[in-house]
Amino acid sequence: MNAKGNDLPSASDIALSRRAFLKSSGGLVVAFNLFGPAVAADTAQESVAPPPAGNLYAWLAVHPDNTATLFTGKVETGTGVQTALAQIAAEELDFPFDRLAVVMGTTSKTVDQGPTYGSMTIRYAGPQIRHAAAAGRQALLDLAAKHFGVPASQLTAKDGAVSMLRSASRTITYGKLVDGKRLNIDIGASGERFAMKLAPKAHLKDPSTYTVVGRPIARKDIPDKIMARFVYVQDVRVEGMLHGRVVRPYGVEATLQSVDETGLKKIPGFVQVVRRDNFLGVVAENEWAAIQAAAKLGSTLNPSGPDAGQAKWSNWNGLPQMDQIWETVRHSGGRDSSAVSHGSTATALAHASRTLKATYKTPFQMHGSIGPSCAIADVKGGRATFWSGTQMPHETRRDMAKLLDIPLDGIEVRWFEASGAYGRNGLEHVVADAAIMSQAVGRPVRVQWMRWDEHGWEPKEPPIVQDLQAALDDSGHVIAWQHHMWIPTTADTHLTAAALIGRPEATGHIGSAGVPIKYAYNFENADVAAHDEGRVGLLTAWLRSPAQFETTFAMESFIDELAAAARQDPLAFRLAHLDDDRAISVLKAAAQAYGWQSRPAHANADPSGKHAHGRGMAWVNRDETRVATIADVIVDPSSGRINVGRVVVAHDCGLVINPDGLKNQIEGNVIQSISRTLHEEVTFDTAHVTSRDWQGYPILRFEEIPDRIDIVLVNNSPEHMSTGGGEPSTCPTAAVISNAVFDAIGVRLRQMPFRPERVKAAMS
Amino acid sequence: MSQQITLNVNGDGHVVQVEPDSMLLYALRDNLGLRGPKFGCGLSECGACTVLRDGKAIRSCITPVSAVGTSRIITLEGLGTAEHPHPLQQAFIEEQAAQCGYCINGMIMQAASLLKQNPHPSRDDIKKALNGNLCRCGTHMRIVRAVERAAGRANG
Ligand code: FES
Ligand code: FES
């Protein structure tokens, strides 16, 4: 233990945070109090480097009033991981959950544990935090051993205090033991980010003794969100801050010809136009002035052309034709990779007595956050501070160093939660917008995108086309399976602002998804491969279960087509072709909870009925989490409208940290994926996205939600490692609905979304 | 030109210096520093900005300050206090009815307006009342349950 005294750099701020969270109901976490506007103005002299991963103080602080703070480079995006990670830490630390605050994301206070994405937080950051907290518990026992003058083996820790095993009345709190000092203790760290291993020697609790992990504890963030006390990134205000708005090109790659500033000065509060190459923005003393000025330059919901506003753009029309998009995708360059290739699928297909063939198509979709992206930047000289809701604060810090040519040591990203993002939306991009504007005006600038900036410019999920073929033998067994997919990138991390200032390669790259599917059927001959492409048309980046939502739609609908062709029950048909025990158990659990009766699809159909009822099932293995979903639908044949009735989800992500938090996530995944299945398609002309608001891009509304969502947790026990829950239950939904619609009306829907007009067209 | 305008918000008179044709949402957020009402679309399409005007839900993103007059505006901050949360707030916490929570201001304010007019709403009444409010996280099931719970409590 370092005895240099209370050297935690921001001890007073932590105290502030602690008071605030203890005052509010339920032991809330108020990371923002660490960096409120009052302290935001001048941090120029402090080091902004992240703390060293191998030191305990990088993860934990214990305060004199016996509260504590967990520090994590992971961030909350509405999924409840803040609470779950706090449960893991409180459990191993033997500390009261309600007295443990969590500071997330801020780059000067936390270690880079990798971005918060891919349902990987509990799986990878969970063990890191578990080990750090266990090391913390050991450190406290060592301190107490000194205090009591006995070996640590004669001590026991519970609820934030250490007592002597033999005389329980001799007890001391963690707060008293630490006495306001920083936990400057080497715990050992190796590797980085997701692969980082911490405190390898820490003694971990026996999971069978868990009292905090596994409980449906109320989420830390919810009361403040309900009581209007929560500070979202959209709520942060910084001393001396101006308001900025972007004015994006009319056509995606149009160049800026001229800017007529007439009338802007008359807008009260207008400060200036920021123009750098094709980057255009305005800054003003107040939001309304910024909005008015941006509107004059052309930032409106439906601009009528490249020279409709006072900013004139070249007439760029380089996007593919929307109705040709899948042909474009099919013929775009890329790299082939194979997930499975065994037997000789081509031969089997050529000689089988019975073959089936189908093509599945899915459109561009968007994240569609309810709160548009927002960030504040303060760029001055060799330093830059950002207030951001990014899912990757440490990456953003590195990106901004490159974009601004400022040494990393001068850059801090202070993280605040944003409106849910469900992947990479505009939150990373708006940081760059704010950076460029702040650099131009020499003051902090808050940029919030308008609705049409978000709909128009957030990175999208790409359109995907998939061809499937299979052969059945005479007994209805699948003897060959071919699944080929054409997938534009889901990981293009180039920043739009960088491209607009003429430095497109300053940051980011185009990542490859490989074959985004987990093939698990045991067909004799199988060929599953992807053609993995670069950008096709619009900027695309990961959206909840990137590409696997779409590949599951194709795989699990086509399996259903085969089962129907073989006149077999869809559950029995799947089980007959599966070896994966955990897949089998979620399918059976879902079927049992649903009350599944064995029969082939569309065997009960009553074509005379006004409303046709159907049931459908599908399952997925996404990064080792298995999910099986069954749902009922009602199809109104006269309107083509589909309604989802009851939904049953069996979910196996191993040991669940917080069952209610997970259920909240599963419900969210189900509803969001019903929305994607029934409604969602980004529209565009050859210049730009034309679905620029919620009318153009409708999402599911209350009157369309399912009647109920029943959830069964499978393998929720310590012998099963915790895997992710943020995304996987999105994957089965489109196939479930497509299969249920077939069951109801005997029509296959192979193109998303299943809007009424498409259903009617398929019926006729 | 910007003007001094008096707004009655959460029971108090506040003088704000704004453009009369600017929208109420910005006066609440930027001049009064309130966080309940949110900017979601600015187009009256999502409900994130909802406040009560004389007890009825309105969308502050399309309501010019000049149109507010002497009517009484209540925001999420004014609905309840930490000691005495509004029954809806209590119910939303009990049902854990939030994911990111960005839409929740609108859900609670719209539901407050509904419960004033119809203290005994059916599930369909609730869905109908909230149909114009968007939630992207898919918290709908819990939101409906929370409103039912609050209605049950309010009804005794
Ligand atoms: S912000 Fe007012 S309705 Fe969307
Ligand atoms: S809870 Fe995130 S938008 Fe509703």
Side-chain angles (χ1 to χ4, degrees), chain A residues 42 141 149 173 245 281 320 360 468 594 618 627 716 726 761:
Chain A
D42 200 6
L141 284 169
T173 66
R245 286 295 183 277
Y360 285 80
L468 295 101
Y594 175 84
V627 183
N716 175 13

PDB file of all heavy atoms in Angstrom, chain A residues 42 141 149 173 245 281 320 360 468 594 618 627 716 726 761:
ATOM      1  N   ASP A  42     -11.454  24.153 -16.718  1.00  0.00           N
ATOM      2  CA  ASP A  42     -10.006  24.177 -16.721  1.00  0.00           C
ATOM      3  C   ASP A  42      -9.398  22.913 -16.147  1.00  0.00           C
ATOM      4  O   ASP A  42      -9.290  22.727 -14.954  1.00  0.00           O
ATOM      5  CB  ASP A  42      -9.516  25.407 -15.954  1.00  0.00           C
ATOM      6  CG  ASP A  42      -8.086  25.720 -16.365  1.00  0.00           C
ATOM      7  OD1 ASP A  42      -7.587  25.060 -17.290  1.00  0.00           O
ATOM      8  OD2 ASP A  42      -7.492  26.617 -15.764  1.00  0.00           O
ATOM      9  N   LEU A 141      -8.226  -7.396   3.015  1.00  0.00           N
ATOM     10  CA  LEU A 141      -7.928  -8.381   4.072  1.00  0.00           C
ATOM     11  C   LEU A 141      -6.486  -8.193   4.571  1.00  0.00           C
ATOM     12  O   LEU A 141      -6.222  -8.280   5.779  1.00  0.00           O
ATOM     13  CB  LEU A 141      -8.134  -9.805   3.551  1.00  0.00           C
ATOM     14  CG  LEU A 141      -9.603 -10.238   3.425  1.00  0.00           C
ATOM     15  CD1 LEU A 141      -9.716 -11.552   2.655  1.00  0.00           C
ATOM     16  CD2 LEU A 141     -10.262 -10.381   4.812  1.00  0.00           C
ATOM     17  N   GLY A 149      -3.369  -7.102  13.590  1.00  0.00           N
ATOM     18  CA  GLY A 149      -2.173  -7.820  13.995  1.00  0.00           C
ATOM     19  C   GLY A 149      -2.349  -9.330  14.029  1.00  0.00           C
ATOM     20  O   GLY A 149      -1.813 -10.008  14.904  1.00  0.00           O
ATOM     21  N   THR A 173     -14.510  -1.182   8.936  1.00  0.00           N
ATOM     22  CA  THR A 173     -15.022  -1.005   7.573  1.00  0.00           C
ATOM     23  C   THR A 173     -13.875  -0.837   6.586  1.00  0.00           C
ATOM     24  O   THR A 173     -12.776  -0.414   6.958  1.00  0.00           O
ATOM     25  CB  THR A 173     -15.925   0.241   7.464  1.00  0.00           C
ATOM     26  OG1 THR A 173     -15.122   1.400   7.690  1.00  0.00           O
ATOM     27  CG2 THR A 173     -17.077   0.199   8.463  1.00  0.00           C
ATOM     28  N   ARG A 245     -24.445  23.333 -35.650  1.00  0.00           N
ATOM     29  CA  ARG A 245     -25.233  22.392 -36.453  1.00  0.00           C
ATOM     30  C   ARG A 245     -24.450  22.129 -37.734  1.00  0.00           C
ATOM     31  O   ARG A 245     -23.764  23.023 -38.248  1.00  0.00           O
ATOM     32  CB  ARG A 245     -26.613  22.976 -36.819  1.00  0.00           C
ATOM     33  CG  ARG A 245     -27.614  23.012 -35.664  1.00  0.00           C
ATOM     34  CD  ARG A 245     -27.988  21.615 -35.191  1.00  0.00           C
ATOM     35  NE  ARG A 245     -29.000  21.595 -34.129  1.00  0.00           N
ATOM     36  CZ  ARG A 245     -28.763  21.762 -32.833  1.00  0.00           C
ATOM     37  NH1 ARG A 245     -27.537  21.992 -32.411  1.00  0.00           N
ATOM     38  NH2 ARG A 245     -29.737  21.701 -31.942  1.00  0.00           N
ATOM     39  N   GLY A 281     -20.677  23.878 -41.528  1.00  0.00           N
ATOM     40  CA  GLY A 281     -21.446  23.933 -40.289  1.00  0.00           C
ATOM     41  C   GLY A 281     -21.646  25.373 -39.890  1.00  0.00           C
ATOM     42  O   GLY A 281     -21.073  26.287 -40.496  1.00  0.00           O
ATOM     43  N   PRO A 320     -26.249   3.756 -56.068  1.00  0.00           N
ATOM     44  CA  PRO A 320     -26.927   2.788 -56.938  1.00  0.00           C
ATOM     45  C   PRO A 320     -28.439   3.061 -56.966  1.00  0.00           C
ATOM     46  O   PRO A 320     -28.975   3.695 -56.069  1.00  0.00           O
ATOM     47  CB  PRO A 320     -26.655   1.442 -56.259  1.00  0.00           C
ATOM     48  CG  PRO A 320     -25.686   1.691 -55.160  1.00  0.00           C
ATOM     49  CD  PRO A 320     -25.673   3.147 -54.871  1.00  0.00           C
ATOM     50  N   TYR A 360     -33.111 -14.774 -50.568  1.00  0.00           N
ATOM     51  CA  TYR A 360     -33.590 -13.892 -49.497  1.00  0.00           C
ATOM     52  C   TYR A 360     -32.928 -12.533 -49.622  1.00  0.00           C
ATOM     53  O   TYR A 360     -31.722 -12.440 -49.861  1.00  0.00           O
ATOM     54  CB  TYR A 360     -33.286 -14.518 -48.125  1.00  0.00           C
ATOM     55  CG  TYR A 360     -34.224 -15.649 -47.799  1.00  0.00           C
ATOM     56  CD1 TYR A 360     -34.034 -16.922 -48.337  1.00  0.00           C
ATOM     57  CD2 TYR A 360     -35.339 -15.433 -46.986  1.00  0.00           C
ATOM     58  CE1 TYR A 360     -34.917 -17.953 -48.068  1.00  0.00           C
ATOM     59  CE2 TYR A 360     -36.220 -16.458 -46.710  1.00  0.00           C
ATOM     60  CZ  TYR A 360     -36.011 -17.717 -47.254  1.00  0.00           C
ATOM     61  OH  TYR A 360     -36.893 -18.731 -46.976  1.00  0.00           O
ATOM     62  N   LEU A 468     -30.022 -19.739 -51.436  1.00  0.00           N
ATOM     63  CA  LEU A 468     -29.971 -21.037 -50.760  1.00  0.00           C
ATOM     64  C   LEU A 468     -30.495 -22.133 -51.674  1.00  0.00           C
ATOM     65  O   LEU A 468     -31.415 -21.906 -52.456  1.00  0.00           O
ATOM     66  CB  LEU A 468     -30.798 -21.001 -49.461  1.00  0.00           C
ATOM     67  CG  LEU A 468     -30.226 -20.046 -48.415  1.00  0.00           C
ATOM     68  CD1 LEU A 468     -30.988 -18.748 -48.399  1.00  0.00           C
ATOM     69  CD2 LEU A 468     -30.218 -20.682 -47.046  1.00  0.00           C
ATOM     70  N   TYR A 594     -44.159 -22.894 -24.889  1.00  0.00           N
ATOM     71  CA  TYR A 594     -45.201 -22.481 -25.825  1.00  0.00           C
ATOM     72  C   TYR A 594     -46.369 -23.463 -25.823  1.00  0.00           C
ATOM     73  O   TYR A 594     -47.527 -23.077 -26.012  1.00  0.00           O
ATOM     74  CB  TYR A 594     -44.600 -22.385 -27.225  1.00  0.00           C
ATOM     75  CG  TYR A 594     -45.607 -22.091 -28.317  1.00  0.00           C
ATOM     76  CD1 TYR A 594     -46.002 -20.783 -28.604  1.00  0.00           C
ATOM     77  CD2 TYR A 594     -46.165 -23.132 -29.072  1.00  0.00           C
ATOM     78  CE1 TYR A 594     -46.927 -20.520 -29.596  1.00  0.00           C
ATOM     79  CE2 TYR A 594     -47.084 -22.871 -30.081  1.00  0.00           C
ATOM     80  CZ  TYR A 594     -47.464 -21.567 -30.343  1.00  0.00           C
ATOM     81  OH  TYR A 594     -48.380 -21.297 -31.324  1.00  0.00           O
ATOM     82  N   ALA A 618     -37.714 -20.319 -34.825  1.00  0.00           N
ATOM     83  CA  ALA A 618     -36.358 -20.210 -35.369  1.00  0.00           C
ATOM     84  C   ALA A 618     -35.401 -20.142 -34.190  1.00  0.00           C
ATOM     85  O   ALA A 618     -35.801 -19.853 -33.065  1.00  0.00           O
ATOM     86  CB  ALA A 618     -36.206 -18.962 -36.240  1.00  0.00           C
ATOM     87  N   VAL A 627     -30.447 -18.942 -28.733  1.00  0.00           N
ATOM     88  CA  VAL A 627     -31.787 -18.414 -28.516  1.00  0.00           C
ATOM     89  C   VAL A 627     -32.747 -19.136 -29.447  1.00  0.00           C
ATOM     90  O   VAL A 627     -32.471 -19.265 -30.637  1.00  0.00           O
ATOM     91  CB  VAL A 627     -31.874 -16.905 -28.841  1.00  0.00           C
ATOM     92  CG1 VAL A 627     -33.260 -16.362 -28.529  1.00  0.00           C
ATOM     93  CG2 VAL A 627     -30.810 -16.116 -28.087  1.00  0.00           C
ATOM     94  N   ASN A 716     -28.872 -21.369 -16.861  1.00  0.00           N
ATOM     95  CA  ASN A 716     -28.494 -20.220 -16.040  1.00  0.00           C
ATOM     96  C   ASN A 716     -27.855 -20.735 -14.753  1.00  0.00           C
ATOM     97  O   ASN A 716     -28.498 -20.793 -13.714  1.00  0.00           O
ATOM     98  CB  ASN A 716     -29.745 -19.378 -15.759  1.00  0.00           C
ATOM     99  CG  ASN A 716     -29.454 -18.231 -14.807  1.00  0.00           C
ATOM    100  OD1 ASN A 716     -28.300 -17.915 -14.531  1.00  0.00           O
ATOM    101  ND2 ASN A 716     -30.511 -17.614 -14.302  1.00  0.00           N
ATOM    102  N   GLY A 726     -26.991  -8.892 -25.199  1.00  0.00           N
ATOM    103  CA  GLY A 726     -27.427  -7.616 -25.774  1.00  0.00           C
ATOM    104  C   GLY A 726     -28.003  -7.717 -27.167  1.00  0.00           C
ATOM    105  O   GLY A 726     -28.779  -6.866 -27.586  1.00  0.00           O
ATOM    106  N   ALA A 761     -48.968  -8.598 -52.241  1.00  0.00           N
ATOM    107  CA  ALA A 761     -48.398  -8.968 -53.542  1.00  0.00           C
ATOM    108  C   ALA A 761     -47.978 -10.435 -53.530  1.00  0.00           C
ATOM    109  O   ALA A 761     -48.198 -11.163 -54.512  1.00  0.00           O
ATOM    110  CB  ALA A 761     -47.197  -8.070 -53.855  1.00  0.00           C
TER     111      ALA A 761
END
